[in-house]
Amino acid sequence: MKKVISIEIALVLLLAGIMFLLLSTKEPRMDVTVEEVQNTFSSIKGDIAIDYADALRIRSQLGINPAEHDMVVYYSSAVDAMYVYEFLLIRTDENSIDALQSTLEEHIATRLEAFRGYGESQTALLEKAIIKQYGNYICLIVADEPSTWLEAVKELLEV
Amino acid sequence: MIFSSLTFLLLFFPITLLLYFLVPNRAKNIVLLLFSLIFYSWGEPVYIILMLYSILLNYVCGLMMDKYSDMRKHILIFGVCINLFMLGFFKYAGFLTESLNSVLGTFGISIPQRDIALPIGISFYTFQALSYLIDLYREKFPVQKNIINFALYITMFPQLIAGPIVRYESIEKELKHRIISLEKVGYGSLIFIEGLAMKVLLANQIGLVADELRALAGSLSVTSAWLSALAYFFQIYFDFAGYSTMAIGLGHILGFTFCKNFDYPYLSTSVTEFWRRWHMSLGTWFREYVYIPLGGNRVSTIKHIRNILIVWMLTGLWHGAAWNFVLWGLYYGLLLLFEKFILSKINLPKPIGWLYTTILVLIGWVLFSSENLSQCMQILSAMFGIGNVLFDTTSLYYLMTGGFMLILCAICSTPLLKWLKEKLLHFALGKLFLGCLYVVILALCILFLVVQNYNPFLYFRF
C-alpha cells in the first residue's frame, strides 16, 4: 500500500515538473495582425528603402502564394534588384512550416549565388540573413543588424 | 511530419525501412521505437517529453496492477485520472478558461489565460494508453513487462498522430512476434499508395475548392454553398480515410495488422450506419470504455438516452475544444436518438435513407468545419436559400473548375474501384496493368507534392 502511494506521488510530482517545464517555454501569440507587424517594422527599419509588398510581388520574388497562409507580411525593394534588404513574417499551419523553411533557404541561396563574386556588400548582408521559426511563424530578415530586427519580432510575438 | 510529405516519403521512411529490415528480429522493435520518437519529435521537439511521461506512467501503472492485485482498482483510477488530466489540461484548459471568462466577464471577473499548444496526437495516444490500462484491469491480457514493446505500442509512428486507435489486445502478439514477408511489404505498399492518392490527389485538390468557397461564406449563392459543403464533405473523408489507409499500409509493411477505420461511410442509408462506417476505431473505443460501462442500452429508456448523449457529447469534444464540436456531437446524439426511437419504426426505402443521411452528414460537416457559429449560420442559410440567389457566376466557375473533382471523389467514395481492382487481379495482364498504375499514381502524388504547397491535414488538431 505504502509503496504504491509513494510511486503514485512520485509520478504526480514528475508530471508537475514536466508541466512546469513545458509551460515555461513560451508559445508565440497567435493573434498578431498585419497592422501590428507593419507598425513594428516601421519603428525599426530606419532609412532602408524597402516597402510593403503586395501578393503579386510576394509571388514573383519569393515564389510563395500568400493565399495559402494565414498571414504574410513582406517588405522588399520593388524596383532595385541590387537592394537585398528584406523582411518577411508568415503565420501558417504546422504542415507548411517545413516547406516554407526550405523555400526561404533556397531563396537566400539563389540570391547569394547571384551576387557572389561581384556584389560584395550584398553577399555580406545575405550571408548573415536570419530565417527563424517560432511556433507557427516563420521569419526572414536580411539587414545590417538582423538580430535587432529579430528582437523586435520576438517582442511582437511575445516569445 | 506527415506521411504525405516529401521528407517522409523520400527520406524518413526509406531510411527507417532500410534499417528495420537490416537489423535482426530482436532489434526491430528498438529501431521502430527510435524512429517513431524521431518522427514525433520532428514536429513536436518539446512535447515529446509529455509522450515519454505517458509511456512511463502507463507502464508503471500496468506493472503495479500486476504486482499489487488487491489495489488494482485504485491503481486503475489513478492511471485513468492522470491520463485524463493530461488530455484535459493540454487540450481543454484554454477552451474552459475562455468559456468561463465569457460568463464571468459580465461580472467584471477574468481568469488569466495563456495559449497552450496542443501536443500532436495526444488524443490518440492517450486513448490507446487508457484502453491498455482498462483492458489490463479487465484481465484481457497479461501485463507488458518489456518497456520497449510498451513504448512502441504508444508511439508507433504509422498510427501515432491520426490513428486508427489501436487497442493493445489487437497487436499484443505482433509486438512480440510478427511475420514480415515480401508479400506483406508489397500488399502494404499498395495500400499505402491508395491512401496517399486519397490524400494528395483527392483531398488536397477538392480542399482547394472547399477553402476558396469557404472564404466567400458571406456572399455565397445557394449552389455555391452546396458546392462548398460538398467539397468539404469529400475533403475530410479523403483526408482522414487517406491518412488511416496509409497507416494501415505502413503497418502491413512493418508486419502489423491495424484495424480498418473507414468502410465507405458515404454509402450509409442511416446516420447510425454512417457512424458504424466512419472512424470505426473511435466508435469502438467509446462503445467499449464509455457507453457499455455506463450501462449501454440495458438500462431504463431515460438512462439509455442519457448514455447516448454523454457518448456523443464526448465524441464531439474529442474532436476539438470548441463549442461547435460539442454541438456537432450533440447533433449526432439527437439524430441517433431520433433513428433509434422514431425512424426505426418506419421502413425507409434505401435511396431515401441514403439521401436523408447524406444531407444530414453534409449539414454536420458545416457545423464541424465552421470557425464560429456565425460562419456556420451563413453557410447553412445560404444552402437553404435564405436571402441568397440560386445561382451566380461564382457557382458557374466552381462547377466548371471543381465539377470533375467532385465527380471523381464521388466515384472514389464507393467500392467501384476496389471491385475493378479485384477483377483485374484475376488476370496476369491485369496484375501487370495494376502494378504500372500504382507506380504512375505514386509518381503523380510525388509530382503534386513537389509542385503544390497546399497540403493541409485536417485531423492534425485532434
Side-chain angles (χ1 to χ4, degrees), chain A residues 1 3-5 7-8 11-12 14-15 18-19 21-30 63 65 68 93 95-96 98, chain B residues 42 46-47 49-50 53 56-57 60 64 67-68 71 74-75 78 82 85-86 89-90 114 117 453 455-457 460:
Chain A
M1 173 87 175
K3 207 169 178 185
V4 171
I5 302 285
I7 294 170
E8 286 176 352
L11 284 168
V12 170
L14 183 62
L15 178 63
I18 289 171
M19 286 178 71
L21 196 75
L22 288 175
L23 294 178
S24 52
T25 43
K26 288 178 100 180
E27 286 292 324
R29 266 176 66 200
M30 290 303 285
N65 180 4
E68 289 171 2
D93 58 283
N95 308 335
S96 308
D98 288 348
Chain B
W42 200 277
V46 178
Y47 282 119
I49 193 168
L50 200 66
Y53 175 80
L56 180 74
L57 167 82
V60 170
M64 287 199 298
K67 195 170 176 189
Y68 306 99
M71 292 188 74
H74 167 92
I75 296 162
F78 171 79
I82 297 282
F85 171 76
M86 287 196 320
F89 184 83
F90 284 97
R114 62 162 296 174
N453 281 340
N455 187 19
F457 174 48
F460 232 131

Short mmCIF file of all heavy atoms in Angstrom, two decimals, chain A residues 1 3-5 7-8 11-12 14-15 18-19 21-30 63 65 68 93 95-96 98, chain B residues 42 46-47 49-50 53 56-57 60 64 67-68 71 74-75 78 82 85-86 89-90 114 117 453 455-457 460:
data_model
loop_
_atom_site.label_atom_id
_atom_site.label_comp_id
_atom_site.label_asym_id
_atom_site.label_seq_id
_atom_site.Cartn_x
_atom_site.Cartn_y
_atom_site.Cartn_z
N MET A 1 0.84 -1.21 0.00
CA MET A 1 0.00 0.00 0.00
C MET A 1 0.87 1.26 0.00
O MET A 1 0.75 2.13 -0.85
CB MET A 1 -0.91 -0.02 1.24
CG MET A 1 -1.71 1.25 1.44
SD MET A 1 -3.25 1.19 0.53
CE MET A 1 -4.03 2.69 1.04
N LYS A 3 4.02 1.51 -0.70
CA LYS A 3 4.89 1.58 -1.88
C LYS A 3 4.11 2.13 -3.08
O LYS A 3 4.61 2.98 -3.82
CB LYS A 3 5.41 0.17 -2.19
CG LYS A 3 6.75 0.20 -2.91
CD LYS A 3 7.36 -1.17 -2.95
CE LYS A 3 8.67 -1.09 -3.72
NZ LYS A 3 9.27 -2.39 -3.91
N VAL A 4 2.88 1.66 -3.24
CA VAL A 4 2.03 2.11 -4.35
C VAL A 4 1.81 3.62 -4.25
O VAL A 4 1.99 4.36 -5.21
CB VAL A 4 0.68 1.35 -4.38
CG1 VAL A 4 -0.27 1.96 -5.38
CG2 VAL A 4 0.91 -0.11 -4.71
N ILE A 5 1.44 4.07 -3.05
CA ILE A 5 1.18 5.50 -2.84
C ILE A 5 2.44 6.32 -3.14
O ILE A 5 2.38 7.36 -3.78
CB ILE A 5 0.66 5.78 -1.41
CG1 ILE A 5 -0.61 4.99 -1.12
CG2 ILE A 5 0.46 7.28 -1.16
CD1 ILE A 5 -1.88 5.47 -1.75
N ILE A 7 4.91 5.57 -5.13
CA ILE A 7 5.16 5.62 -6.58
C ILE A 7 4.20 6.60 -7.24
O ILE A 7 4.57 7.40 -8.09
CB ILE A 7 5.04 4.20 -7.21
CG1 ILE A 7 6.16 3.30 -6.67
CG2 ILE A 7 5.11 4.26 -8.74
CD1 ILE A 7 6.02 1.83 -7.03
N GLU A 8 2.95 6.57 -6.78
CA GLU A 8 1.96 7.49 -7.36
C GLU A 8 2.34 8.95 -7.09
O GLU A 8 2.24 9.79 -7.98
CB GLU A 8 0.56 7.17 -6.80
CG GLU A 8 -0.01 5.89 -7.39
CD GLU A 8 -1.35 5.50 -6.80
OE1 GLU A 8 -1.79 6.13 -5.81
OE2 GLU A 8 -1.95 4.55 -7.32
N LEU A 11 5.07 9.90 -9.36
CA LEU A 11 4.58 10.13 -10.74
C LEU A 11 3.89 11.49 -10.86
O LEU A 11 4.06 12.20 -11.84
CB LEU A 11 3.62 9.01 -11.15
CG LEU A 11 4.27 7.67 -11.52
CD1 LEU A 11 3.24 6.56 -11.62
CD2 LEU A 11 5.05 7.77 -12.83
N VAL A 12 3.13 11.84 -9.82
CA VAL A 12 2.44 13.14 -9.84
C VAL A 12 3.45 14.27 -9.81
O VAL A 12 3.35 15.25 -10.56
CB VAL A 12 1.44 13.25 -8.66
CG1 VAL A 12 0.91 14.66 -8.53
CG2 VAL A 12 0.29 12.27 -8.86
N LEU A 14 6.52 14.18 -10.79
CA LEU A 14 7.23 14.21 -12.08
C LEU A 14 6.39 14.95 -13.12
O LEU A 14 6.89 15.78 -13.89
CB LEU A 14 7.53 12.77 -12.54
CG LEU A 14 8.32 12.63 -13.83
CD1 LEU A 14 9.70 13.26 -13.69
CD2 LEU A 14 8.50 11.14 -14.20
N LEU A 15 5.07 14.66 -13.12
CA LEU A 15 4.18 15.35 -14.07
C LEU A 15 4.17 16.85 -13.80
O LEU A 15 4.22 17.66 -14.73
CB LEU A 15 2.76 14.77 -13.98
CG LEU A 15 1.72 15.43 -14.88
CD1 LEU A 15 2.07 15.26 -16.35
CD2 LEU A 15 0.32 14.87 -14.64
N ILE A 18 7.25 18.32 -15.23
CA ILE A 18 7.20 18.38 -16.71
C ILE A 18 6.30 19.53 -17.15
O ILE A 18 6.62 20.29 -18.06
CB ILE A 18 6.71 17.03 -17.28
CG1 ILE A 18 7.80 15.97 -17.10
CG2 ILE A 18 6.32 17.14 -18.75
CD1 ILE A 18 7.37 14.57 -17.41
N MET A 19 5.16 19.66 -16.45
CA MET A 19 4.23 20.73 -16.84
C MET A 19 4.84 22.10 -16.60
O MET A 19 4.68 23.01 -17.41
CB MET A 19 2.91 20.58 -16.08
CG MET A 19 2.12 19.41 -16.66
SD MET A 19 0.59 19.13 -15.81
CE MET A 19 -0.33 20.51 -16.34
N LEU A 21 7.96 22.78 -16.73
CA LEU A 21 8.98 22.95 -17.79
C LEU A 21 8.31 23.35 -19.11
O LEU A 21 8.75 24.27 -19.79
CB LEU A 21 9.71 21.61 -17.95
CG LEU A 21 11.03 21.64 -18.70
CD1 LEU A 21 12.09 22.22 -17.80
CD2 LEU A 21 11.42 20.22 -19.12
N LEU A 22 7.21 22.64 -19.42
CA LEU A 22 6.53 22.91 -20.70
C LEU A 22 5.89 24.29 -20.72
O LEU A 22 5.92 24.99 -21.73
CB LEU A 22 5.46 21.84 -20.97
CG LEU A 22 5.98 20.46 -21.34
CD1 LEU A 22 4.82 19.48 -21.47
CD2 LEU A 22 6.74 20.50 -22.65
N LEU A 23 5.31 24.66 -19.58
CA LEU A 23 4.61 25.94 -19.56
C LEU A 23 5.55 27.13 -19.48
O LEU A 23 5.17 28.25 -19.79
CB LEU A 23 3.60 25.98 -18.40
CG LEU A 23 2.45 24.99 -18.56
CD1 LEU A 23 1.54 25.04 -17.36
CD2 LEU A 23 1.66 25.26 -19.83
N SER A 24 6.80 26.85 -19.08
CA SER A 24 7.73 27.98 -19.03
C SER A 24 8.34 28.25 -20.41
O SER A 24 8.98 29.27 -20.60
CB SER A 24 8.82 27.76 -17.99
OG SER A 24 9.41 26.51 -18.20
N THR A 25 8.16 27.31 -21.37
CA THR A 25 8.57 27.63 -22.74
C THR A 25 7.40 28.34 -23.41
O THR A 25 6.30 27.80 -23.50
CB THR A 25 8.90 26.36 -23.56
OG1 THR A 25 7.92 25.41 -23.28
CG2 THR A 25 10.27 25.84 -23.27
N LYS A 26 7.66 29.57 -23.83
CA LYS A 26 6.54 30.40 -24.32
C LYS A 26 6.16 30.08 -25.76
O LYS A 26 7.01 29.87 -26.60
CB LYS A 26 6.91 31.87 -24.18
CG LYS A 26 6.92 32.35 -22.74
CD LYS A 26 7.32 33.79 -22.67
CE LYS A 26 6.09 34.67 -22.53
NZ LYS A 26 6.47 36.08 -22.46
N GLU A 27 4.88 30.09 -26.00
CA GLU A 27 4.37 29.92 -27.36
C GLU A 27 4.09 31.31 -27.93
O GLU A 27 3.69 32.21 -27.19
CB GLU A 27 3.05 29.15 -27.32
CG GLU A 27 3.21 27.67 -27.03
CD GLU A 27 3.88 26.92 -28.15
OE1 GLU A 27 3.63 27.26 -29.33
OE2 GLU A 27 4.68 26.02 -27.87
N PRO A 28 4.28 31.50 -29.23
CA PRO A 28 4.02 32.84 -29.77
C PRO A 28 2.54 33.19 -29.74
O PRO A 28 1.68 32.29 -29.76
CB PRO A 28 4.54 32.75 -31.20
CG PRO A 28 4.52 31.31 -31.52
CD PRO A 28 4.75 30.57 -30.25
N ARG A 29 2.27 34.48 -29.70
CA ARG A 29 0.88 34.95 -29.81
C ARG A 29 0.33 34.56 -31.16
O ARG A 29 1.01 34.71 -32.16
CB ARG A 29 0.87 36.48 -29.75
CG ARG A 29 0.65 37.09 -28.41
CD ARG A 29 0.77 38.59 -28.56
NE ARG A 29 -0.31 39.12 -29.39
CZ ARG A 29 -0.25 40.31 -30.00
NH1 ARG A 29 0.80 41.06 -29.89
NH2 ARG A 29 -1.27 40.73 -30.73
N MET A 30 -0.90 34.10 -31.20
CA MET A 30 -1.46 33.68 -32.48
C MET A 30 -2.35 34.74 -33.11
O MET A 30 -2.89 34.54 -34.19
CB MET A 30 -2.25 32.37 -32.32
CG MET A 30 -1.38 31.16 -32.02
SD MET A 30 -0.12 30.89 -33.28
CE MET A 30 -1.13 30.23 -34.60
N GLY A 63 8.17 33.30 -54.57
CA GLY A 63 7.54 32.05 -55.02
C GLY A 63 6.57 31.50 -53.98
O GLY A 63 6.33 30.30 -53.90
N ASN A 65 2.72 31.72 -52.29
CA ASN A 65 1.37 32.21 -52.54
C ASN A 65 0.74 32.65 -51.21
O ASN A 65 0.43 31.80 -50.36
CB ASN A 65 0.54 31.10 -53.19
CG ASN A 65 -0.88 31.54 -53.47
OD1 ASN A 65 -1.23 32.71 -53.26
ND2 ASN A 65 -1.69 30.63 -53.96
N GLU A 68 -2.25 30.94 -49.42
CA GLU A 68 -2.15 29.62 -48.78
C GLU A 68 -1.76 29.72 -47.31
O GLU A 68 -1.60 28.70 -46.64
CB GLU A 68 -1.13 28.77 -49.53
CG GLU A 68 -1.63 28.32 -50.89
CD GLU A 68 -0.54 27.67 -51.73
OE1 GLU A 68 0.59 27.52 -51.25
OE2 GLU A 68 -0.84 27.32 -52.88
N ASP A 93 0.09 27.08 -41.01
CA ASP A 93 -0.20 25.90 -40.20
C ASP A 93 1.06 25.04 -40.08
O ASP A 93 2.00 25.20 -40.86
CB ASP A 93 -1.35 25.09 -40.82
CG ASP A 93 -1.05 24.67 -42.23
OD1 ASP A 93 -1.16 25.54 -43.12
OD2 ASP A 93 -0.66 23.53 -42.44
N ASN A 95 1.86 22.19 -40.92
CA ASN A 95 2.27 21.37 -42.07
C ASN A 95 3.07 22.15 -43.10
O ASN A 95 3.79 21.55 -43.89
CB ASN A 95 1.05 20.78 -42.78
CG ASN A 95 0.15 20.08 -41.81
OD1 ASN A 95 0.60 19.64 -40.77
ND2 ASN A 95 -1.12 20.00 -42.14
N SER A 96 2.88 23.46 -43.12
CA SER A 96 3.54 24.23 -44.18
C SER A 96 4.88 24.79 -43.74
O SER A 96 5.64 25.30 -44.57
CB SER A 96 2.64 25.39 -44.60
OG SER A 96 1.36 24.92 -44.90
N ASP A 98 7.75 23.46 -42.67
CA ASP A 98 8.96 22.85 -43.23
C ASP A 98 9.18 23.28 -44.67
O ASP A 98 10.29 23.62 -45.08
CB ASP A 98 8.87 21.32 -43.15
CG ASP A 98 9.02 20.83 -41.73
OD1 ASP A 98 9.42 21.64 -40.89
OD2 ASP A 98 8.74 19.64 -41.48
N TRP B 42 10.03 15.41 -34.72
CA TRP B 42 10.21 16.24 -35.91
C TRP B 42 9.31 17.49 -35.84
O TRP B 42 9.72 18.59 -36.13
CB TRP B 42 9.88 15.43 -37.16
CG TRP B 42 10.48 15.98 -38.41
CD1 TRP B 42 9.97 16.98 -39.19
CD2 TRP B 42 11.70 15.57 -39.02
NE1 TRP B 42 10.80 17.20 -40.25
CE2 TRP B 42 11.87 16.35 -40.18
CE3 TRP B 42 12.66 14.60 -38.71
CZ2 TRP B 42 12.97 16.20 -41.03
CZ3 TRP B 42 13.74 14.46 -39.56
CH2 TRP B 42 13.88 15.26 -40.69
N VAL B 46 9.35 19.63 -28.28
CA VAL B 46 9.14 19.91 -26.86
C VAL B 46 8.20 18.88 -26.24
O VAL B 46 8.47 18.31 -25.18
CB VAL B 46 8.55 21.34 -26.67
CG1 VAL B 46 8.29 21.62 -25.21
CG2 VAL B 46 9.51 22.37 -27.25
N TYR B 47 7.10 18.60 -26.93
CA TYR B 47 6.07 17.77 -26.33
C TYR B 47 6.40 16.28 -26.30
O TYR B 47 5.63 15.49 -25.78
CB TYR B 47 4.72 18.01 -27.01
CG TYR B 47 4.10 19.29 -26.51
CD1 TYR B 47 3.82 20.34 -27.36
CD2 TYR B 47 3.83 19.45 -25.16
CE1 TYR B 47 3.27 21.52 -26.89
CE2 TYR B 47 3.28 20.63 -24.67
CZ TYR B 47 3.00 21.65 -25.54
OH TYR B 47 2.47 22.81 -25.05
N ILE B 49 8.46 15.06 -24.48
CA ILE B 49 8.65 14.80 -23.05
C ILE B 49 7.32 14.34 -22.41
O ILE B 49 7.29 13.47 -21.55
CB ILE B 49 9.24 16.05 -22.34
CG1 ILE B 49 9.73 15.68 -20.95
CG2 ILE B 49 8.30 17.20 -22.27
CD1 ILE B 49 10.58 16.76 -20.29
N LEU B 50 6.22 14.91 -22.90
CA LEU B 50 4.91 14.53 -22.39
C LEU B 50 4.56 13.10 -22.81
O LEU B 50 3.99 12.33 -22.05
CB LEU B 50 3.87 15.51 -22.94
CG LEU B 50 2.56 15.60 -22.17
CD1 LEU B 50 2.78 16.16 -20.78
CD2 LEU B 50 1.57 16.47 -22.92
N TYR B 53 6.51 10.74 -20.76
CA TYR B 53 5.91 10.62 -19.44
C TYR B 53 4.70 9.67 -19.49
O TYR B 53 4.51 8.84 -18.62
CB TYR B 53 5.48 11.99 -18.90
CG TYR B 53 4.74 11.87 -17.59
CD1 TYR B 53 5.44 11.70 -16.40
CD2 TYR B 53 3.35 11.88 -17.56
CE1 TYR B 53 4.77 11.54 -15.20
CE2 TYR B 53 2.67 11.72 -16.36
CZ TYR B 53 3.38 11.55 -15.18
OH TYR B 53 2.70 11.38 -14.00
N LEU B 56 5.88 6.18 -19.42
CA LEU B 56 6.35 5.78 -18.08
C LEU B 56 5.15 5.56 -17.15
O LEU B 56 5.06 4.53 -16.47
CB LEU B 56 7.26 6.88 -17.52
CG LEU B 56 7.82 6.59 -16.13
CD1 LEU B 56 8.91 5.53 -16.19
CD2 LEU B 56 8.38 7.86 -15.50
N LEU B 57 4.23 6.52 -17.16
CA LEU B 57 3.07 6.43 -16.27
C LEU B 57 2.29 5.13 -16.49
O LEU B 57 2.01 4.39 -15.54
CB LEU B 57 2.15 7.63 -16.52
CG LEU B 57 0.76 7.54 -15.90
CD1 LEU B 57 0.81 7.95 -14.44
CD2 LEU B 57 -0.24 8.41 -16.63
N VAL B 60 4.29 1.90 -15.67
CA VAL B 60 4.42 1.68 -14.22
C VAL B 60 3.06 1.27 -13.62
O VAL B 60 2.98 0.34 -12.82
CB VAL B 60 4.98 2.95 -13.52
CG1 VAL B 60 4.90 2.84 -12.01
CG2 VAL B 60 6.42 3.19 -13.94
N MET B 64 2.31 -2.12 -11.60
CA MET B 64 1.76 -2.09 -10.23
C MET B 64 0.46 -2.90 -10.15
O MET B 64 0.23 -3.62 -9.19
CB MET B 64 1.52 -0.64 -9.79
CG MET B 64 2.80 0.12 -9.50
SD MET B 64 2.53 1.59 -8.48
CE MET B 64 1.48 2.59 -9.47
N LYS B 67 1.42 -6.43 -9.87
CA LYS B 67 2.08 -6.82 -8.62
C LYS B 67 1.16 -6.70 -7.41
O LYS B 67 1.16 -7.57 -6.55
CB LYS B 67 3.33 -5.94 -8.44
CG LYS B 67 4.28 -6.49 -7.40
CD LYS B 67 5.60 -5.75 -7.41
CE LYS B 67 6.49 -6.27 -6.27
NZ LYS B 67 7.67 -5.46 -6.10
N TYR B 68 0.42 -5.63 -7.34
CA TYR B 68 -0.44 -5.41 -6.16
C TYR B 68 -1.90 -5.65 -6.55
O TYR B 68 -2.64 -4.70 -6.81
CB TYR B 68 -0.25 -3.99 -5.62
CG TYR B 68 1.20 -3.65 -5.31
CD1 TYR B 68 1.96 -2.92 -6.21
CD2 TYR B 68 1.79 -4.10 -4.12
CE1 TYR B 68 3.29 -2.63 -5.93
CE2 TYR B 68 3.12 -3.82 -3.85
CZ TYR B 68 3.87 -3.07 -4.75
OH TYR B 68 5.18 -2.80 -4.49
N MET B 71 -4.86 -3.87 -5.05
CA MET B 71 -5.04 -2.42 -5.26
C MET B 71 -5.28 -2.09 -6.73
O MET B 71 -5.08 -0.95 -7.17
CB MET B 71 -3.79 -1.67 -4.77
CG MET B 71 -3.63 -1.74 -3.26
SD MET B 71 -2.31 -0.66 -2.72
CE MET B 71 -3.04 0.95 -2.90
N HIS B 74 -7.70 0.81 -7.43
CA HIS B 74 -7.11 2.08 -7.00
C HIS B 74 -6.09 2.56 -8.05
O HIS B 74 -6.10 3.72 -8.45
CB HIS B 74 -6.45 1.87 -5.63
CG HIS B 74 -5.54 2.98 -5.22
ND1 HIS B 74 -5.98 4.05 -4.48
CD2 HIS B 74 -4.22 3.21 -5.48
CE1 HIS B 74 -4.98 4.88 -4.30
NE2 HIS B 74 -3.89 4.40 -4.89
N ILE B 75 -5.24 1.63 -8.50
CA ILE B 75 -4.20 1.99 -9.47
C ILE B 75 -4.83 2.38 -10.82
O ILE B 75 -4.41 3.33 -11.47
CB ILE B 75 -3.18 0.83 -9.63
CG1 ILE B 75 -2.46 0.59 -8.30
CG2 ILE B 75 -2.15 1.14 -10.73
CD1 ILE B 75 -1.76 -0.75 -8.19
N PHE B 78 -6.20 5.83 -10.52
CA PHE B 78 -5.09 6.79 -10.53
C PHE B 78 -4.59 7.00 -11.98
O PHE B 78 -4.47 8.13 -12.45
CB PHE B 78 -3.94 6.27 -9.65
CG PHE B 78 -2.68 7.07 -9.78
CD1 PHE B 78 -2.54 8.28 -9.12
CD2 PHE B 78 -1.61 6.61 -10.56
CE1 PHE B 78 -1.37 9.04 -9.24
CE2 PHE B 78 -0.45 7.36 -10.70
CZ PHE B 78 -0.32 8.57 -10.04
N ILE B 82 -4.89 10.51 -14.16
CA ILE B 82 -3.71 11.27 -14.63
C ILE B 82 -3.75 11.41 -16.16
O ILE B 82 -3.49 12.49 -16.71
CB ILE B 82 -2.39 10.59 -14.18
CG1 ILE B 82 -2.31 10.57 -12.67
CG2 ILE B 82 -1.18 11.31 -14.79
CD1 ILE B 82 -1.90 11.85 -11.99
N PHE B 85 -6.34 13.91 -16.96
CA PHE B 85 -5.88 15.25 -16.57
C PHE B 85 -4.96 15.84 -17.64
O PHE B 85 -5.09 16.99 -18.03
CB PHE B 85 -5.17 15.18 -15.21
CG PHE B 85 -4.49 16.48 -14.85
CD1 PHE B 85 -5.23 17.57 -14.41
CD2 PHE B 85 -3.11 16.63 -15.00
CE1 PHE B 85 -4.61 18.78 -14.11
CE2 PHE B 85 -2.49 17.83 -14.71
CZ PHE B 85 -3.23 18.91 -14.27
N MET B 86 -4.02 15.00 -18.11
CA MET B 86 -3.07 15.48 -19.14
C MET B 86 -3.82 15.90 -20.40
O MET B 86 -3.59 16.95 -20.97
CB MET B 86 -2.07 14.38 -19.49
CG MET B 86 -1.06 14.17 -18.39
SD MET B 86 0.40 13.24 -18.88
CE MET B 86 -0.14 11.99 -19.92
N PHE B 89 -5.94 19.02 -19.61
CA PHE B 89 -5.17 20.25 -19.44
C PHE B 89 -4.65 20.76 -20.78
O PHE B 89 -4.83 21.93 -21.12
CB PHE B 89 -4.00 20.02 -18.47
CG PHE B 89 -3.24 21.27 -18.20
CD1 PHE B 89 -3.69 22.16 -17.24
CD2 PHE B 89 -2.09 21.59 -18.91
CE1 PHE B 89 -3.01 23.34 -16.99
CE2 PHE B 89 -1.40 22.76 -18.68
CZ PHE B 89 -1.87 23.64 -17.71
N PHE B 90 -4.01 19.90 -21.52
CA PHE B 90 -3.37 20.38 -22.75
C PHE B 90 -4.38 20.61 -23.88
O PHE B 90 -4.12 21.37 -24.79
CB PHE B 90 -2.26 19.42 -23.20
CG PHE B 90 -1.04 19.56 -22.35
CD1 PHE B 90 -0.81 18.71 -21.29
CD2 PHE B 90 -0.16 20.60 -22.56
CE1 PHE B 90 0.29 18.86 -20.47
CE2 PHE B 90 0.96 20.77 -21.74
CZ PHE B 90 1.18 19.91 -20.70
N ARG B 114 -3.61 31.63 -20.93
CA ARG B 114 -2.48 31.62 -21.85
C ARG B 114 -2.70 30.52 -22.89
O ARG B 114 -3.34 29.50 -22.63
CB ARG B 114 -1.15 31.43 -21.14
CG ARG B 114 -1.00 30.14 -20.38
CD ARG B 114 0.45 29.87 -20.10
NE ARG B 114 1.20 29.66 -21.33
CZ ARG B 114 2.51 29.51 -21.39
NH1 ARG B 114 3.22 29.61 -20.31
NH2 ARG B 114 3.11 29.27 -22.54
N ALA B 117 -0.19 25.19 -26.69
CA ALA B 117 -0.24 24.46 -27.96
C ALA B 117 -0.69 23.03 -27.70
O ALA B 117 -0.33 22.43 -26.68
CB ALA B 117 1.14 24.46 -28.61
N ASN B 453 2.07 23.65 -52.87
CA ASN B 453 2.35 23.91 -51.45
C ASN B 453 1.20 23.47 -50.56
O ASN B 453 1.36 23.21 -49.39
CB ASN B 453 2.56 25.41 -51.21
CG ASN B 453 3.94 25.83 -51.63
OD1 ASN B 453 4.85 25.01 -51.74
ND2 ASN B 453 4.10 27.12 -51.90
N ASN B 455 -0.99 21.42 -48.64
CA ASN B 455 -1.02 20.04 -48.16
C ASN B 455 -1.44 20.03 -46.70
O ASN B 455 -0.68 19.65 -45.82
CB ASN B 455 0.38 19.41 -48.35
CG ASN B 455 0.39 17.93 -48.05
OD1 ASN B 455 -0.65 17.27 -48.04
ND2 ASN B 455 1.57 17.39 -47.78
N PRO B 456 -2.66 20.48 -46.44
CA PRO B 456 -3.09 20.52 -45.04
C PRO B 456 -3.44 19.13 -44.53
O PRO B 456 -3.55 18.20 -45.33
CB PRO B 456 -4.34 21.39 -45.09
CG PRO B 456 -4.91 21.11 -46.43
CD PRO B 456 -3.77 20.81 -47.34
N PHE B 457 -3.58 18.99 -43.24
CA PHE B 457 -4.05 17.72 -42.70
C PHE B 457 -5.07 18.04 -41.61
O PHE B 457 -4.72 18.52 -40.54
CB PHE B 457 -2.89 16.90 -42.16
CG PHE B 457 -3.34 15.66 -41.48
CD1 PHE B 457 -4.27 14.83 -42.08
CD2 PHE B 457 -2.88 15.33 -40.22
CE1 PHE B 457 -4.73 13.70 -41.44
CE2 PHE B 457 -3.33 14.21 -39.57
CZ PHE B 457 -4.24 13.39 -40.19
N PHE B 460 -5.04 16.78 -37.84
CA PHE B 460 -3.87 17.05 -37.01
C PHE B 460 -4.26 17.58 -35.64
O PHE B 460 -3.72 17.22 -34.62
CB PHE B 460 -3.00 18.11 -37.70
CG PHE B 460 -1.57 17.67 -37.83
CD1 PHE B 460 -0.90 17.78 -39.04
CD2 PHE B 460 -0.90 17.15 -36.74
CE1 PHE B 460 0.40 17.37 -39.16
CE2 PHE B 460 0.42 16.75 -36.86
CZ PHE B 460 1.07 16.86 -38.07
#
